Structures are given as C-alpha cells and as structure tokens.
Amino acid sequence: MVSSSCVSHTLTCVSVTVDLRELCQRWSPAMWSSMLYNETDAIVDLQLSQDLGLILSILSLVYLLVCFPLGLCYNILLVAVNLSNKVSMTMPDVYFVNMAIAGLVLNLVAPVELLSSTFTRWHAWEYNDEVHITLLILFNISSLVIMYSTTLLSLDYYIERALPRTYMSSVYNTKHVCGFIWGGAVLTSFSSLLFYVCNHISTKMVECSKMQNKEAADAIMMFIGYAVPAVAVLYAFVLILRIRKESTPLDQDSARLDPSIHRLLLASVCVQFVLWTPYYMTLLVHTIAGAPGYISNGHYLPSYHFMRCVSKLLAFSSSFAMPLMYRQMNKNFSGKLQRLLRRLHCRDQSCTHEHSAVQQVVT
C-alpha cells in the first residue's frame, strides 16, 4: 500500500513537471516580457494614481479653506451692495450681479463635490446618481449664465460706446436680458434632465436608451456654452477696438461709461475664459474620443481623471475670482459699500444725511 501511494505521488509530480515544461515551451520570451511589462506598468500607474490623488486632495482642501469662504462672502457682498443701491446701478453692475448669483450657485455645488471621494481621499460622504445629476444640472446652469453674462456685457458695452443715448443697453433692458439668460440656461441643461429621467424609466421605455448619450450632452454644452460665447466675445472686441480707434466728438459725452469699465470688462473676459477653457476642453475630448480614461484593453489612465478634476476646480475658482476683481477695479464699489454700512448703522435713527444723498442721486 505504501509503495503504491508513493508511486502514484511520483507519477503526479512527473506529470505536473511535464505540464510546466510544456507551458514554458509554449510561452515565448516575448510573451513573458509582455507580462512583466504589464505588471510593471500597472505598478507605475498605481503609484501615479496615488500621487495625483494626494495632490488633488490637497488642492481641494485648499480651495475649501481659502477660496470657498472668500467667494461666498464677496458674492453676497456684491449682490447686497448693488441691490441696496439700485438707483446708482449701471448696465455692467447688473451683469456682474447676475454672475455673482451664478457664483453663489457654484458655491453651493463646490463643497458637495469637493468633499466626495472623487476629489479627496478624506471624503465626508458618497452621493448617489440622483445627487450627481442634480449637481451637474446646477453646474451647467451656472456655467452658461456666467459665460453668456460675460458675452452680453461685451456686446452691450460696444452698443453703449457706439450709441450712447439710445438706451438700448439700459439698466431696465439689461435686467430683462439677465432673466432670459437664466431661462435659456435652464432649457439648455434639459438634456441632463432627460438623462436623469431615463435612468429611472429605462426598464419601461426602450427609447430611453437612445437618449442616454453623455457624449451628445457634452457636445451640446461645448457648442452652446463655449463656442458660441467665444465667437461672440471675439466679434464684440473687434467692434470695440474699431470704436476706440475712431476719435469722434461723442467721446467726450457724459452719457458714456466710465473708462475703468473697459479695463474691468477686458479683465473679466480674460479671467472667465482662462478658468473655464480647461473644463470645456475636457468636454471636447470626451465628445471626440468617448471616455479617454479607458483604452481598448481596459487600462485606466489616472492622469485623465486628474486633469478633469483640476479643470473643474478652475471652473469653481471663477466664483471667487470675479467678485474679487470687481471689488478691486470698480471705483464706485467703495462708495456704495460705505452707504450700505451707514444705512445699516443708522437703521433705527433718522439719518437725514443719507436721505439727502439719495435725493441728490435721484435728481
């Protein structure tokens, strides 16, 4: 019995050895090197993913600790100061108030996204698909409002310079235009809402599978949210430069905008497009190449995820860069802020000097 068991074990070992030899003979050196290369590449990608994840986590926390409170405070201050001085508001003030309100919406979206596992290792929560789609819709609406407010500010500035007494770009008309901007932004984001609805009724409606196309939604946002405003702003700047080169007697007209508005306009357009261009470029890449985070063999590219998150961080940064720039470059802001503070200080008093100042502005 013992000898037969030993013989069987020996035969088993011999067969396993033969199988291993045949396997080694079948696998060429190129196949072994390819396997080793793939393992090495996976280790490198894992290390790169960890390093980029740490950098992204630090950037997200810096934004939440520094940029988020600054943006929230200055956006509220910009809206409050201008709405408390409606009589002295100008056409650019209305557009900047509109962008500040959109910035406040971004301020609501930013902490929810930046404290999730997508942006930081030390995440506070995980949100489901419904919350993700809601955040995406709010983000898209804010981006459209900001880009089109900047675009129409450029066009209205040209109208005000070219036709100063026609009141085509008056404060009253600008308020209605801003209302149309919000309505158009909501309608443009309807594709994301369809995507959200179809996720819930896809089992009942086969047609919904045709609408679950994120590339098409990104293409719509890329064209309407970036390409159209970029062309319009470029056209407006060409017209503005042509007006500035032509010296006319109307250049001394008191009805024209303050010269500092031109610098504020130029700075705001440049800052907005610098901060939003990376995000829209990621949409363009996703539209053309599908999901570049994965290649044909299912290999994940951590650098694409990192660049996509950084581009969204830059887009969030517009919510604090714009009010800070408005605060520094608008020379009338300090006077409006002082009047607001005096009004709050003497709310329970007569404040006769404030009433006289308001009467002077009205007259």
Side-chain angles (χ1 to χ4, degrees):
M1 293 292 294
V2 176
S3 60
S4 62
S5 62
C6 292
V7 170
S8 62
H9 284 300
T10 304
L11 293 175
T12 303
C13 293
V14 170
S15 62
V16 171
T17 304
V18 172
D19 292 339
L20 289 176
R21 288 179 179 177
E22 291 179 356
L23 182 63
C24 293
Q25 290 175 357
R26 291 177 182 176
W27 279 49
S28 62
M31 298 176 66
W32 283 107
S33 61
S34 177
M35 185 179 68
L36 293 176
Y37 175 78
N38 290 334
E39 292 179 356
T40 305
D41 195 34
I43 295 174
V44 172
D45 282 344
L46 178 61
Q47 183 63 37
L48 179 63
S49 178
Q50 292 177 351
D51 295 339
L52 294 179
L54 179 60
I55 296 173
L56 184 61
S57 301
I58 295 174
L59 292 177
S60 301
L61 292 179
V62 169
Y63 178 88
L64 289 173
L65 294 176
V66 179
C67 303
F68 171 73
L70 283 177
L72 184 63
C73 294
Y74 274 97
N75 279 313
I76 294 175
L77 189 63
L78 192 155
V79 174
V81 167
N82 283 284
L83 293 184
S84 64
N85 296 272
K86 293 182 179 180
V87 178
S88 60
M89 284 183 66
T90 61
M91 175 268 295
D93 294 331
V94 178
Y95 281 118
F96 278 102
V97 169
N98 205 42
M99 286 186 278
I101 296 174
L104 288 175
V105 177
L106 285 180
N107 288 134
L108 295 177
V109 175
V112 181
E113 288 206 15
L114 297 183
L115 288 176
S116 66
S117 60
T118 305
F119 282 85
T120 180
R121 292 181 178 179
W122 312 287
H123 57 276
W125 50 67
E126 290 282 352
Y127 49 77
N128 52 23
D129 293 337
E130 289 80 4
V131 176
H132 172 72
I133 296 298
T134 303
L135 295 176
L136 179 63
I137 293 173
L138 293 176
F139 183 84
N140 289 341
I141 291 175
S142 301
S143 66
L144 290 171
V145 170
I146 290 174
M147 297 300 288
Y148 275 91
S149 295
T150 306
T151 302
L152 293 176
L153 173 61
S154 306
L155 294 172
D156 281 353
Y157 178 80
Y158 163 73
I159 294 174
E160 187 69 19
R161 290 295 303 268
L163 305 170
R165 293 190 180 278
T166 57
Y167 301 103
M168 294 178 61
S169 58
S170 63
V171 175
Y172 177 79
N173 293 336
T174 304
K175 291 179 180 179
H176 289 282
V177 169
C178 290
F180 283 114
I181 291 175
W182 282 96
V186 172
L187 290 177
T188 306
S189 301
F190 190 66
S191 59
S192 298
L193 183 60
L194 283 178
F195 182 76
Y196 164 70
V197 173
C198 283
N199 280 338
H200 290 272
I201 62 175
S202 58
T203 57
K204 301 179 181 179
M205 294 180 60
V206 181
E207 292 80 3
C208 267
S209 61
K210 299 178 181 179
M211 289 188 286
Q212 294 182 6
N213 191 343
K214 194 174 186 304
E215 288 78 11
D218 289 342
I220 293 173
M221 284 296 301
M222 174 64 195
F223 178 75
I224 299 179
Y226 185 81
V228 173
V231 173
V233 166
L234 182 61
Y235 177 69
F237 269 64
V238 170
L239 295 178
I240 292 172
L241 290 176
R242 186 181 302 174
I243 284 290
R244 289 175 64 88
K245 291 180 179 180
E246 298 175 358
S247 178
T248 63
L250 290 175
D251 290 335
Q252 305 299 325
D253 197 335
S254 59
R256 286 183 175 268
L257 295 173
D258 188 88
S260 62
I261 298 297
H262 179 76
R263 296 190 296 270
L264 179 60
L265 169 65
L266 182 62
S268 62
V269 170
C270 293
V271 168
Q272 292 289 18
F273 275 89
V274 166
L275 294 177
W276 282 97
T277 295
Y279 172 73
Y280 281 105
M281 289 300 104
T282 59
L283 293 186
L284 179 62
V285 171
H286 186 264
T287 301
I288 296 175
Y294 293 88
I295 57 178
S296 58
N297 60 352
H299 184 63
Y300 181 66
L301 297 178
S303 57
Y304 173 75
H305 173 74
F306 176 77
M307 294 302 298
R308 191 175 179 87
C309 292
V310 170
S311 66
K312 209 163 189 178
L313 265 178
L314 290 176
F316 282 134
S317 300
S318 66
S319 63
F320 82 92
M322 188 56 58
L324 283 177
M325 188 167 50
Y326 180 85
R327 167 68 179 85
Q328 295 295 326
M329 301 185 68
N330 191 341
K331 65 179 184 180
N332 298 324
F333 184 81
S334 299
K336 294 180 180 180
L337 179 59
Q338 292 175 3
R339 286 198 297 270
L340 175 61
L341 294 178
R342 286 198 301 266
R343 191 177 305 170
L344 294 176
H345 177 70
C346 60
R347 177 181 298 176
D348 299 329
Q349 302 176 7
S350 59
C351 294
T352 56
H353 65 280
E354 182 66 24
H355 291 297
S356 61
V358 173
Q359 291 178 358
Q360 291 177 1
V361 173
V362 174
T363 57

